[in-house]
Amino acid sequence: MSGEIGLTALGGYIPRLRLQRKAITTANAWVAPNLAGKGKGERSMANWDEDTITMAVEAARDLLGPDDDRSHVDALYFGTTTQPFADRLNAGIISAALTLEKGIQAVDITSTQRAGTSALLQALHAAKAGAAKNALVLASDKRKARAVSPQELDFGDGAAALSVGSENVIAKFLGAHSLTVDFVDHFRGAHEEFDYNWEERWIRDEGYLKIIPQAVEGALKEAGLEASDIDHFILPCTLPKVPQSVAKKLGIPAEKVRDNLAANCGETGAAHGLVMLVHALQEAKPGEKILVAQFGGGADALIFETTDKLSSMDDRRGITGSLADRQEETNYMKFLTFNGLVEWEKGMRAEQDKKTALTTLYRNEDMILGLVGGRCTETGNVQFPRSRISVNPNNPAVDTQEPYKFAERKASILSWSADYLTFSMSPPNHYGMIVFDGGGRIFMDITDVAPGEVESGMEVKMVFRVKDVDEKRGFKRYFWKAVPVRSSATGQATGQSTGQAAE
Amino acid sequence: MARGIKDKVAILGMGCSKFGERWDTGPEELMVEAYLEAMQDAGIEPTQLDAAWFSTHIDEIGTGKGGTPLSLALRLPNIAVTRVENFCASGSEALRGAVYAVASGAADIALALGVEKLKDTGYGGLPVSNPGTLNPQWAPNGSAPGNFAQLASAYRAKHGIAKEDLKRAIAHVSVKSHANGSKNPKAHLRNEISEDQALNAPMIAEPLGLFDCCGVSDGAAAAIVTTPEIAKAMGKKDLVTIKAMQLSVSNGLESQHNSWDGSYFHTARIAAKKAYQEAGIEKPREEVSMIEVHDCFSITELVTMEDLFISPEGGAVKDVMDGFYDSSGSVPCQIDGGLKCFGHPIGASGLRMAYEMYLQLQGRAGERQLANPKIGLTHNLGGSPSQNVCSVAIVGLEGV
């Protein structure tokens, strides 16, 4: 296989909360009865402490697996249109969280809904040119939509991860074609929070139905394939039946059109092409051809062919596993509050200044963003944070600690509380002493839990999350939190707390 | 072990302001209130003070940093004033400073005064403090009740105690303190409560309800100390002397090393052992007459009974439920109402505990006076279970 460029691994992340669309349309029926028909299924909904960056990190960790040696990753391409920072390398935050090497290229690719597919194309081109041996491609989006808009029903939050290289190729790259056209179906000004959308019928007729076929035909030509060769046709689109119409126009049989996950996820924006690609890879058999196209300022179309190495990805959560790990949410007000769409009374305790000392952050970068502590080379004692003098009471050795990564370690809860007094975006705030297999402990926040769920001894894993938001300065703090280890099969859940402990 | 300070220092006088929501009173007036009572009790003039130690924890909300707030409020005769801060154990630190100054001979008479004006924040509970630059980037978004509530989950897990049984025991802790506080005219909370009230109160931090949390109060307390010789020369009788003053400070073991199980205070056990040794106490369950502990939360008091080696390991629930620590029990605890009901003006609390021990030992505790107490212990904690400072002090009648 060596020499042939393609996808080498996959990962995915869809937030656990699934907002029931009926809850949205019911709440808004008085003002928007026209949207009642959209009140079906569910959309993924990021917890208050999840954003584009945290979801991308989780998708990447799924791809990279439990081995915390990440020295093989030599490039990072991050596609999104909802990056938390306009000027601070968002991929740099992700890179630090993943403890990637410093000597890599990392870029944000943005400003279009095809940022995800374009990021993948950039990685493929770099690999082809020999500039990257093992490039990590992440696409993530958490798009903000106005209350009572069709978009809040159509959108979902999520992320996908793919790696590109020439070893263990699970899907060969056969060809691609891009079109750049300033077709403005929607736009979001540099300082605007929300999209401005043009008429859907025009977007369908002049946009998707004319631009996508050109991109797809170009890709087929480069790959030396016919439309009928395609086994999986991926085209994210929130307009009804458009992918089917495009497929028909191209001569791709209707049954080859992939489910766009509208019913159980919603459209994850710039991530959705890759979200659907990961989903397709998880369902495909070896030797199948997958075409992924994404629309936005023109279009990208890429074609892959799966190999018999595909089964090496069976242990990844991907999109399939993420969709199965769900918690129904019926509280539309919570969605509005999490997304900053409601001016709510947070109380005086929320007034504390969240100004972040950037010097402190940088000095402790691997600790805060990478969850890296220390291990004593003399005694093997593991601790967090790292310190010049070891915490080991039997041997407080000096200057013996080497970096030790905690993020992928198994852990459990020693003590905990659910705190109703402290300010939290989702009270009560759970936190406790987390004890790691192999040593070390961290007193830290616990997230994605409801009252009654947490107990001492519960197994937890680490997730990268938003710690605090400095609204005054537009800064975000990130750190790690504990979440219960749940079986990915736990699909059924009530809107309220399930009260069930994690396995 | 050092030679210690047993019986080297005597309490010459003490004072304590009324604790509570003192809306019409600033920190300066609170200091004056405690100071004047202590000076009158000691029977000395300001010019007789050689040095002062001043404790206040939160300087952000009005009292201010340094030694000047005390000197200004009391118009001290330009003597040395040292401000000490050691979280909620600051009051004990002020006393320790004054006691050590007298024991060393550097001062003949020294003042310790602690104050906290908490009710100028605009909301209930403790003020949100300034956490520095690194901690807020990784420490959990918590509060005092949430930090101390951790003890409950770990204690239950360690001793296999049902949630309801522990909840009932900590309810009893609070019911007892309310009963005691109702008899104390200087206490912040003077209402008795029932076990049902405690059990069914609104949740603050699982499993701690409203009545599991101490009062957040304004107040000040003061002590004037000297040598037993000087006190006797001034005609003082029934001297109360310092038997031991120990402080143990976390070094990160609890929060960073897996040898700590989260159910007890590592520092308290070290400080208690050292204090008993310094005071020459071998069987605390029998020798200690009464205790004032840092009951910031009911669960703190419960586990502290074991940390002070008065209840056996795992035996605190039974002792509490048996009434061992009630006012009629073998070792009355929080006879003045404790932090729970007397209140918790942080910088003053350690001195307030000593104040009650002093009154009891001198037979001046009024309606709540115990019969012939000889040895009193104060336990004053600051920080959180996983990272704290713990003071254990023992006072008693001279010659005991």
Side-chain angles (χ1 to χ4, degrees), chain B residues 322-337:
Chain B
D322 287 350
F324 186 84
Y325 298 107
D326 292 355
S327 60
S328 57
S330 303
V331 181
C333 179
Q334 317 307 72
I335 193 66
D336 64 359

Side-chain angles (χ1 to χ4, degrees), chain A residues 137-148:
Chain A
V137 180
L138 305 175
S140 176
D141 241 350
K142 179 178 174 241
R143 281 196 289 176
K144 201 166 171 177
R146 280 196 178 84
V148 206

